[in-house]
Amino acid sequence: QCECTSAGYHRVESTAGHGNNTCAPVICGVPDTLPKAKYTLSPVPFPTDVVAQPPTGTMWYGGSVVYQCDVGYTLSGIAGAVSSQTVQCLSNGHFAHVSRCKPVQCGAQPVVAYARAVTTVGMMMYKDFQGSQKYECKAGYTLNGDVAGPTKFEMACEANGASVCQTAAGCTCSAIVCPAFPSPAHASQS
């Protein structure tokens, strides 16, 4: 008979049989799945003289789990900030605290000269990654300066925290340019 005196270990049946025991690390189990993150296991070797080996996908004392946030997410929501964390399997058989991944913040929607923001019901908030904001040029302005030119465009919050134009015609409102006034025959302009 053996006694396990180290924290994080308990007595289990040994492969030696005949009532022999050995010490094995406590099992923390399967790590939590977090939204917007993936994880990889980083185990320490498990004793080979233990009859009941832990199931695949579980973690035991001394090992850790590395969580990596998806693109566009960090632990703080700040672009370029830390996007991974290592979580230990503790001696009490529980995992240490794990933080959730937050969407990168782009801040307030951009103010675009000569345009107004258009609110759409159910539209994702602009301030977060993958959020967007629709705009429309004010009267007297279009995206290309033509009287019949396009007037609507969209800006999106990207994974790096930048605002990016999502419209092929661009995201700048230009004053409509009136065509040159033709000179009438036998007349002059003053």
Side-chain angles (χ1 to χ4, degrees):
Q1 297 292 344
C2 72
E3 291 298 322
C4 301
T5 56
S6 297
Y9 289 85
H10 63 109
R11 193 170 64 184
V12 295
E13 185 179 349
S14 168
T15 55
H18 309 296
N20 290 325
N21 294 314
T22 189
C23 293
V26 297
I27 305 291
C28 284
V30 177
D32 288 337
T33 300
L34 299 179
K36 305 301 181 185
K38 293 171 184 51
Y39 71 80
T40 54
L41 300 177
S42 185
V44 294
F46 197 82
T48 57
D49 62 340
V50 174
V51 170
Q53 292 289 309
T56 302
T58 60
M59 186 53 56
W60 48 89
Y61 175 65
S64 59
V65 181
V66 178
Y67 287 92
Q68 177 64 52
C69 297
D70 292 347
V71 171
Y73 293 81
T74 64
L75 296 177
S76 64
I78 297 171
V82 175
S83 62
S84 68
Q85 60 186 318
T86 301
V87 178
Q88 300 295 324
C89 172
L90 303 174
S91 63
N92 63 4
H94 296 285
F95 287 103
H97 174 75
V98 59
S99 298
R100 301 223 179 250
C101 297
K102 298 175 184 167
V104 166
Q105 303 286 299
C106 286
Q109 66 192 33
V111 175
V112 180
Y114 311 111
R116 65 178 184 83
V118 178
T119 305
T120 306
V121 176
M123 192 164 79
M124 192 170 170
M125 293 290 292
Y126 169 79
K127 68 182 184 95
D128 293 340
F129 168 61
Q130 294 183 324
S132 64
Q133 178 64 57
K134 295 180 188 277
Y135 293 86
E136 187 169 15
C137 294
K138 293 180 179 178
Y141 295 85
T142 65
L143 295 176
N144 60 8
D146 291 340
V147 70
T151 59
K152 296 179 180 179
F153 60 96
E154 187 173 351
M155 301 281 286
C157 175
E158 295 289 306
N160 63 359
S163 300
V164 177
C165 180
Q166 299 294 302
T167 307
C171 292
T172 303
C173 295
S174 300
I176 293 174
V177 178
C178 296
F181 188 73
S183 295
H186 311 291
S188 63
Q189 291 181 345
S190 54

